[in-house]
Amino acid sequence: MKKIGVYTSGGDAPGMNACVRAVVRTAIYNGLEVVGIRRGYQGMIDSDFDRMETRSVANIIQRGGTILKTARCEEFRTPEGRAKAAINLKNAGIEGLVCIGGNGSYAGALALYNEHQIPTIGLPGTIDNDLYGTDYTIGYDTAINTAVDAIDKIRDTADSHNRVFLVEVMGRDAGFIGISVGISGGAEGIFIPEQEGEMDKIIEHFDHTERRTKAFSIIVVAEGDEYGGATALHNVLKDRYPDLNVRTTILGHIQRGGSPTAQDRVLASRLGYEAVLALLRGEGSKAVGIERGNVVLTSFEDAIGKRKKVDQDLITMAEVLAR
Ligand code: ATP
C-alpha cells in the first residue's frame, strides 16, 4: 500500500482534527502518501481530494470541528454513487481508507468494501458514545464536560430563584451523555432513552410542596427520553404542578463544539495511529476501538449491528445519589 485517504463523516465531534493529524503523521512516518478527502462521502463522489503533508495538520490538535469538513450524502447510499466514489479513489491511486465517523459512516464504508474491495478502517468519531467496540468515542468526553460546565452555571441561577431547571442534552437513541452529565452535574432526575419510569421518582419528589417551592432542582433530559425531550417534559410537569417555577434549557449544538479535552486528544491520537498500522497489516472492513485500555478491532458488521449498553449499575447509582 502506497497511498491512503482519510475522511470525516456524519456529525462532527471535537477531537476529529487530532485524529486526522495522527493518521496523516503516522502514515507519512511509515512512508505512505496521504490524501485528505473533504466532506466525507460527498467529497469521494466529487473527487474533492487534497494531498496532506506533516505540516498540513500543524496547529489543529486543539481545534474542534473538522478541517476536512463533513457532510451527509444521499447519493452514497446508492450503488451508483458508491461506484462513482470507487472510480475516483482508484484514479487517485488511493488503496486504503480511514473513516472517522459514526454508525452510518461505518455502514457506508462496509458497502464500499463489499462492492469495491477498498480496505477501510473505521474510527469512532461521535459525541454520543453509542458505538459498539469501544468504551469511548472521540468527542464524548468533550461533550459531557461542555454540558456539565453549562449545568454548573445553570445551578447558580437555579439556586438564586428556587427554580427547577430541565436541561436537555443530546442523545436521540442513547443515554450515555445523559447519564454521565446527570451524575456529574448532581441532577435530581435523569431521563434517558434506556430507562422508563423516571417520572414516578420525580412525582414522589415534587409531591412534597417545599421541594417545589423552597428548593431548586436540576433534571437532565436526553432528547430521546420516553417523553421526547425537555420541552415535552416541561409541559407534563407544569400540568401537574402549576406552582412549579420551571425553566427549560436545550444545550443543543454547543455540545458538539469547542476545543477537545486532553482525554479526547489522547484517544483520537491513539486511534488514528492504530488505524494506519492496521491498514499496513492488511486489515480492512474493521473498526478500531479501545476497551479496558486495550486496542481492539471489531468487524464493521458487529460495530454496526451490535449495541453498546449504558451500564445499569450507573443508573442505579445515580438514583441513590440523587436522593
Ligand atoms: P452520527 O452518529 O454523528 O450521526 P453517522 O456516521 O452515523 O454519524 P450518518 O448521517 O448516519 O452519520 O451517516 C453518514 C453518511 O454515511 C451518510 O450521509 C451516508 O452518505 C453514509 N451512509 C449512512 N448509512 C449508509 C448505508 N447504509 N449505506 C451506504 N452509506 C451510508
Side-chain angles (χ1 to χ4, degrees), residues 292-303:
R292 296 164 195 259
N294 299 312
V295 176
V296 291
L297 266 70
T298 306
S299 69
F300 275 146
E301 284 89 346
D302 281 354

Side-chain angles (χ1 to χ4, degrees), residues 162 206 209 212-213 237-238 240-246:
N162 294 333
F206 284 139
T209 315
R212 286 205 303 278
T213 54
L237 282 176
K238 277 307 273 182
R240 190 173 172 101
Y241 306 111
D243 61 344
L244 197 68
N245 194 353
V246 55

Side-chain angles (χ1 to χ4, degrees), residues 9-11 41 71-73 76-77 82 101-105 107-108 111 126 128:
S9 173
Y41 294 118
R72 316 247 183 216
C73 173
F76 196 82
R77 292 176 185 273
R82 294 192 290 273
N103 220 290
S105 303
T126 167
D128 293 325

